[in-house]
């Protein structure tokens, strides 16, 4: 049980760190280039998918079992965190677009968790 909790913690820390770093980079790109905000929102969505996929992989590698469950919990935990910040901080719920984006994030984390569990299983046998 402790290994799974550590795996989830590593996954969430990776996702949040990756999102924070890339958000800073995207803010600099928006400030110093003439890229449209519409294009930047699609780039941010892609970055989120990559972050959750790799976060799910980290969780799967560290957890070594049930990657799809722990990947899903990683994605769901991120979604709950974003929802709580948005709802409690800004008094806004999720829109349909955000719901669809976060569904994609959770699926990316699930796939990342499945791949992460199986990534090193052949070398350990």
């Amino acid at each position: 049980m402790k290994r799974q909790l550590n795996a989830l913690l590593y996954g969430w820390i990776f996702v949040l760190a990756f999102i924070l770093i890339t958000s800073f980079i995207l803010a600099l790109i928006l400030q110093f280039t003439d890229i449209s905000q519409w294009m930047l929102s699609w780039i941010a969505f892609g970055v989120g998918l990559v972050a959750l996929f790799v976060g799910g992989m980290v969780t799967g590698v560290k957890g070594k079992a049930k990657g799809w469950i722990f990947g899903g919990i990683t994605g769901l935990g991120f979604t709950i965190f974003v929802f709580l910040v948005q709802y409690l901080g800004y008094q806004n719920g999720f829109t349909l677009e955000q719901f669809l984006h976060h569904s994609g994030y959770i699926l990316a984390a699930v796939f990342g968790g499945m791949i992460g569990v199986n990534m090193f299983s052949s070398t350990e046998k």
Side-chain angles (χ1 to χ4, degrees), residues 13-111:
I13 289 171
F14 175 83
V15 169
L16 291 177
F18 190 85
I19 294 287
L20 285 174
I21 291 168
T22 54
S23 293
F24 178 72
I25 292 169
L26 290 176
L28 289 175
I29 289 171
L30 186 61
Q31 178 69 28
F32 296 114
T33 65
D34 59 351
I35 191 170
S36 69
Q37 195 166 358
W38 177 84
M39 183 63 162
L40 195 65
S41 69
W42 281 105
I43 294 170
F45 175 65
V47 165
L49 285 175
V50 169
L52 270 293
F53 178 78
V54 176
M57 280 179 61
V58 168
T59 303
V61 167
K62 294 285 186 183
K64 296 183 170 115
K66 299 178 185 173
W68 69 276
I69 292 175
F70 290 112
I73 292 171
T74 301
L76 189 62
F78 173 76
T79 297
I80 290 170
F81 175 76
V82 170
F83 176 76
L84 288 175
V85 168
Q86 184 172 327
Y87 186 73
L88 296 175
Y90 300 105
Q91 286 81 36
N92 290 329
F94 272 0
T95 64
L96 177 62
E97 182 182 11
Q98 287 175 310
F99 177 75
L100 293 174
H101 284 187
H102 282 273
S103 297
Y105 294 154
I106 292 170
L107 283 175
V110 166
F111 288 130

